[in-house]
Every structure is written in structure tokens, then in C-alpha cells.
Amino acid sequence: MVSDNKQQGPAQSLPPVIFGTSSLGNLYQAVDYGVKLEVVKACVASSKPVAFFDSAGKYGAGLALESLGNCLADLKVDPQQVVISNKLGWYRIPLLTPEPTFEAGIWKDIEHDAVQMISYDGILKCFEQGNELLGNYQAQMVSVHDPDEYLFASHSEEDYKERYQQIIDAYMALAELKTAGLVSSIGVGAKDWKIIRAIVADVKLDWVMIANSLTIKSHPPDLIAFINELNQKNIKVINSAIFNGGFLTGGDFYNYQPVEADSLTGKSLLDWRDKFYEVCKKFEVLPAEACFSFSAGFPGVKSIALNTTRPEKVAINAALAQKEIPAGFWQEMKTQGLIEFLK
């Protein structure tokens, strides 16, 4: 049974920065609760009067939601001063194998497994479980998570159509939650923006979250055109994974896949990053600052979702929205062939 608590939180005029919570689910590395507490504390302090968090049942099989709720409670944060986006579609289950069965090698030291539940009933179960994990807090912004992965797992055209209908059914459930006042807005989160485009044509959405799609490294013209269309329809865009899974700021994974220096793809990525860093150094611009400025600088992009495991970086991340990048930087990036057009 879905909770009947009406949403009476602050109106969701999206801030420039939304704090991602995948690190609270032990993405790539196990993080001590004390560190998580300091991260959440820094997020709240850097986003007065209202803190926005983006989470998902998939993150650590619900660990991120659970950790977020516990941290907010321990910090005695007023639920009215928090907005939480929960991307729904993954449901926590007991861990019965040595390692979780989803996204092998990504989530560290988690004690549960997760299964995908995308359907009318399944999405409601995910919504209810998510709020249970959050404790005293509730998700106001909801979406279907990874509909692209769900569709790509189909084994036939008929199966694809059935799965797409299940996605539509899930959105019927979310629309009912919104009508009942249990959530305030509905969106979608996916890595393949073309799936988002298909869903937008069939479902009334308030916002979309794109991931690994519109970055300084990858920015296809047809995606930019789609974002312009969303802006004209007053559908807000939240841009996430703007560092391509951490690679653009020095990580070893590109879009959550390890970069092999000996492979052609890996060499190409590393060469691009080396040249990018050279331009950054020349103009005294931090890579993160350039990534943020580029990814936020499109009409329709209202927020950037950022994530960190280091409390001291939270305020730095929040300040990225204020950084002015010199025009010469973009000209040099274009001249070097590192971006396709001038900002």
C-alpha cells in the first residue's frame, strides 16, 4: 500500500547543482558512514535554503537511499528543506550470491541485491520501498530509471514492445501518484537519450535526466536539437554524469567501463584527455570547471547533478556554477578538434 502522506515540500524550481548520491551506495568503493554523513552535511550547508538530492534504488541496492535518510535524520534536517528525486525501477532483495547479480564489480561491500521492476505494480513497489528506506523523508520527484537498459535486454521485437508497454504502464502509476499529491513531478533518467525522446512522445513529463550524453567529450548535434525541443515544451533537463563516469577528471572508468590503455578505444580516450588537460592548464581552468560550464550552457539544461565521496569537494562543486570560462579556452578547444562547436 502506497503511503498517503501528501507532498507539501518546497516548490521545485531546480537549482544549478543537484547532489547525486551514487557514492552513498558505495559506487566503485566502500565509503564509511562517517564520511557519508560529512558529505550530506556539506551538501545541506552548500544549498540553503533547500537541498536537492538525486538517488535511486539501484544505487547500492537501496544503500544510497538508506544512507541518505539516515544521514539527514542524524543531522536533524527538516524534511521540508529537502527535495529528493528517486529514480524508480530497481527493488532491493536479499543477497543470495557471493556478489550482487546486477552491475557486477561496480558496487562495493553491499549487503543486498536488486532486481528490475518496471511495470504498473512494480514501480509502485519501488516507490513504497524507496520511501521506507528514506525513513523520515520522502521522494518528491520520481522517474523510471534505466528504461533504455530494460528495452535493450529484450530478446525479440515482440518482447521489446511488451517491455515498452510496461514502461508506459509504470508511468501511468507515477501519474496517479502525482494526481493524488503523493509526488510533485515526474521525469525519466536514462543513458540513451533516444529512448528518452521516444518516451517524451508518449508520456507527459516534467523533467528528464540525461547521463553520459551531453558532455564536453560527447555532444551530438541531434541531442542538442532534442534539448532545444524540450526547452520549448517547458520540460526541464537535468544533466548528469558530465565527467563521463569520472574519466574527464582523472578517473579510470569511461561511462562506467574500465579504460584499457592498450586498446584503440582506450588510447583514443586517453589522448583526448591529455590534450584537454593541456588546454585547461594553458588557460588556468580546472577540468571540472570546463566540464560543468560546457554541460550547463545549453538552453533547457536547468541543473547539473554532481556526486563526490569527499566532503571538502562539495562546496567546490556547488561553486562550479559561478565559474566564468574565458572565450579563448573554447576557441582553443575547437582549434584542437576537442569540441565540435564554439560555446
Side-chain angles (χ1 to χ4, degrees), residues 54-73:
D54 171 64
S55 197
K58 188 180 188 181
Y59 296 164
L63 178 61
L65 290 165
E66 193 171 42
S67 297
L68 177 61
N70 289 337
C71 288
L72 291 169

Side-chain angles (χ1 to χ4, degrees), residues 116-333:
Q116 203 162 31
M117 283 191 178
I118 296 182
S119 64
Y120 181 93
D121 291 330
I123 219 71
L124 292 177
K125 290 180 179 178
C126 292
F127 175 71
E128 181 72 11
Q129 185 183 72
N131 283 342
E132 290 173 356
L133 292 171
L134 285 167
N136 295 331
Y137 303 84
Q138 290 189 315
Q140 299 98 322
M141 301 168 62
V142 292
S143 60
V144 176
H145 196 193
D146 296 335
D148 47 348
E149 292 182 11
Y150 190 62
L151 291 171
F152 297 156
S154 61
H155 52 75
S156 67
E157 183 177 349
E158 181 179 358
D159 185 34
Y160 186 98
K161 291 179 179 178
E162 289 179 0
R163 286 170 179 257
Y164 189 78
Q165 184 58 52
Q166 289 168 341
I167 292 169
I168 299 302
D169 292 344
Y171 275 109
M172 289 178 58
L174 296 186
E176 291 175 7
L177 292 178
K178 183 179 178 182
T179 298
L182 298 176
V183 300
S184 58
S185 65
I186 301 170
V188 60
K191 299 179 183 69
D192 189 316
W193 67 269
K194 293 182 180 179
I195 298 299
I196 293 178
R197 183 171 60 184
I199 291 172
V200 166
D202 292 329
V203 178
K204 181 175 175 56
L205 298 178
D206 301 300
W207 54 272
V208 306
M209 175 177 279
I210 58 176
N212 302 321
S213 301
L214 185 65
T215 72
I216 199 170
K217 174 67 175 70
S218 175
H219 40 273
D222 47 354
L223 170 57
I224 295 171
F226 174 56
I227 288 176
N228 287 334
E229 292 174 12
L230 293 175
N231 189 41
Q232 293 170 5
K233 295 178 180 178
N234 199 31
I235 299 175
K236 299 178 176 67
V237 176
I238 302 169
N239 199 354
S240 66
I242 64 168
F243 308 126
N244 289 111
F247 177 77
L248 300 184
T249 50
D252 298 325
F253 290 77
Y254 182 81
N255 294 349
Y256 311 111
Q257 298 298 319
V259 176
E260 304 292 343
D262 294 335
S263 70
L264 289 176
T265 299
K267 185 178 184 304
S268 176
L269 287 171
L270 292 167
D271 286 348
W272 187 96
R273 188 171 68 179
D274 287 344
K275 293 177 182 177
F276 170 49
Y277 284 2
E278 288 174 6
V279 179
C280 288
K281 183 178 180 179
K282 178 178 179 179
F283 287 89
E284 298 182 339
V285 171
L286 295 176
E289 294 171 339
C291 291
F292 187 101
S293 179
F294 187 93
S295 299
F298 295 88
V301 175
K302 304 302 182 184
S303 296
I304 302 292
L306 297 176
N307 185 48
T308 184
T309 58
R310 295 164 55 189
E312 67 274 14
K313 284 198 66 178
V314 172
I316 296 172
N317 283 347
L320 290 175
Q322 311 304 321
K323 176 66 177 183
E324 293 288 337
I325 307 297
F329 174 88
W330 302 117
Q331 181 64 60
E332 183 70 13
M333 289 287 288

Side-chain angles (χ1 to χ4, degrees), residues 103-125:
E103 293 191 329
I106 298 296
W107 307 100
K108 303 300 183 181
D109 292 352
I110 61 175
E111 299 176 355
H112 299 86
D113 206 345
V115 292
Q116 203 162 31
M117 283 191 178
I118 296 182
S119 64
Y120 181 93
D121 291 330
I123 219 71
L124 292 177
K125 290 180 179 178

